[in-house]
Amino acid sequence: MFEARLVQGSLWKKLLESIKDLLNEAIFDCSSTGITLQAMDSSHVSLVSISMNSDGFDTYRCDRNLSMGIHLPSLSKIMKCAGNDDIITMKATDDADTVSLVFESQNNEKVSDYEMKLIDLDTEHLGIPETEYSCVVKMPSSEFQRICRDLSQLGDSVVIACTKEGVKFSASGELGTGNIKLCQSASTDKEEEAVVVDMNEAVCLTFALRYLNFFAKATPLSAQVQLSMSKDVPLVVEYKISELGFLRFYLAPKIED
Amino acid sequence: PHGQMKISSFFSSP
């Protein structure tokens, strides 16, 4: 028996909205410690990693490890049927071929339940090594979203250059060039609005904006986003999922032709 | 295309 109840059900809605355009299907691995997901996009350029700790749920029970293959656009459609303030419970029996979703309004006057078919998926899990990154930038997630959107007007790629002074995002194309520089915040009165650069070594890397724009769909999940970079390795774009865990996107760099 | 690397070339399959 698997059951996970989340009073802040809107987190599920936001999480699905964050990944459903990048991934068509994925396995939710449920165990006694929580729910994890790892999946590559269809082009194998990026990878999504989700971790939700059992402690972060209001009720959590998982008697046997369970791998639920889910068609994400379908789950997203069902999640859209939940109100923003609803409590969401996900349930499955062992060896089930369906998952149940129960949406309760805060005042308990409305309860909806949906059942969705699971799918057979055979995906490979990649080992992601623990890495010390040369640069870690924390910034408002809305700012990151805005920068990716704006620079997409100019080109397909963004060059991210990080030094101890700050971080610079640049794009160029037929119509010209654009540069957006963010300096490290002088004061950190409002933690959510701060730009913080933690740098061991300056880096300059190129990434496809198309993917960063997909990642930025996670903006409603968290006020801050964290970018971790080292030379010649994938960028990590991390959004915290409240007290539950994290949503991380890994993006392979582009190299000069 | 255009020098885009694959994520699977960085992370190993166990």
Side-chain angles (χ1 to χ4, degrees):
Chain A
M1 174 78 187
F2 164 72
E3 185 170 334
R5 184 172 194 262
L6 190 60
V7 170
Q8 206 183 341
S10 59
L11 290 174
W12 269 124
K13 291 165 68 81
K14 291 173 186 172
L15 187 64
L16 266 296
E17 284 305 299
S18 307
I19 59 173
K20 71 158 172 60
D21 297 328
L22 186 62
L23 303 175
N24 196 48
E25 52 204 22
I27 293 176
F28 284 70
D29 285 306
C30 309
S31 73
S32 57
T33 55
I35 304 172
T36 59
L37 176 153
Q38 192 203 80
M40 283 185 280
D41 73 278
S42 60
S43 310
H44 292 196
V45 168
S46 67
L47 180 136
V48 177
S49 172
I50 296 172
S51 177
M52 299 166 91
N53 296 322
S54 54
D55 294 347
F57 290 90
D58 299 283
T59 310
Y60 190 91
R61 176 181 166 186
C62 185
D63 302 334
R64 279 175 57 187
N65 288 359
L66 184 69
S67 292
M68 298 192 292
I70 287 182
H71 183 247
L72 294 169
S74 302
L75 181 57
S76 173
K77 275 184 195 168
I78 291 177
M79 286 290 185
K80 278 189 180 157
C81 302
N84 281 329
D85 298 325
D86 281 0
I87 299 160
I88 296 184
T89 305
M90 197 179 268
K91 285 190 229 183
T93 53
D94 297 341
D95 309 316
D97 56 4
T98 60
V99 59
S100 302
L101 291 147
V102 181
F103 307 147
E104 303 164 67
S105 64
Q106 292 281 350
N107 60 14
N108 268 314
E109 286 176 359
K110 180 181 172 189
V111 179
S112 326
D113 70 272
Y114 295 84
E115 197 165 83
M116 194 184 83
K117 284 183 193 132
L118 297 174
I119 53 175
D120 278 329
L121 282 181
D122 188 23
T123 62
E124 56 170 337
H125 264 257
L126 297 178
I128 303 168
E130 281 290 319
T131 312
E132 283 279 316
Y133 287 91
S134 301
C135 292
V136 177
V137 179
K138 289 189 183 121
M139 60 188 284
S141 57
S142 55
E143 189 66 76
F144 178 67
Q145 181 179 44
R146 179 70 199 257
I147 289 169
C148 295
R149 194 186 73 196
D150 290 350
L151 290 180
S152 300
Q153 305 296 327
L154 284 132
D156 297 334
S157 303
V158 60
V159 177
I160 306 178
C162 185
T163 63
K164 61 178 183 296
E165 284 78 38
V167 58
K168 186 172 82 168
F169 300 85
S170 310
S172 60
E174 282 172 19
L175 71 92
T177 62
N179 295 291
I180 301 168
K181 255 192 281 186
L182 290 183
C183 296
Q184 178 141 225
S185 305
S187 67
T188 48
D189 289 354
K190 289 184 184 166
E191 217 174 292
E192 297 191 340
E193 292 172 15
V195 175
V196 179
V197 178
D198 186 358
M199 189 210 80
N200 294 317
E201 196 181 346
V203 293
C204 185
L205 292 160
T206 305
F207 299 101
L209 279 164
R210 172 182 152 77
Y211 289 92
L212 297 180
N213 280 312
F214 277 128
F215 305 167
K217 291 179 192 287
T219 303
L221 267 180
S222 178
Q224 284 255 316
V225 63
Q226 178 173 300
L227 312 179
S228 303
M229 291 166 283
S230 289
K231 189 176 191 292
D232 299 333
V233 301
L235 162 75
V236 190
V237 180
E238 176 173 331
Y239 296 86
K240 292 263 184 287
I241 313 170
S242 189
E243 306 301 308
L244 275 172
F246 59 77
L247 163 60
R248 285 183 193 145
F249 298 100
Y250 294 82
L251 178 59
K254 292 179 87 168
I255 49 170
E256 298 300 322
D257 293 309
Chain B
H2 305 299
Q4 176 62 62
M5 300 190 75
K6 301 275 187 193
I7 199 79
S8 43
S9 61
F10 294 96
F11 301 141
S12 55
S13 325

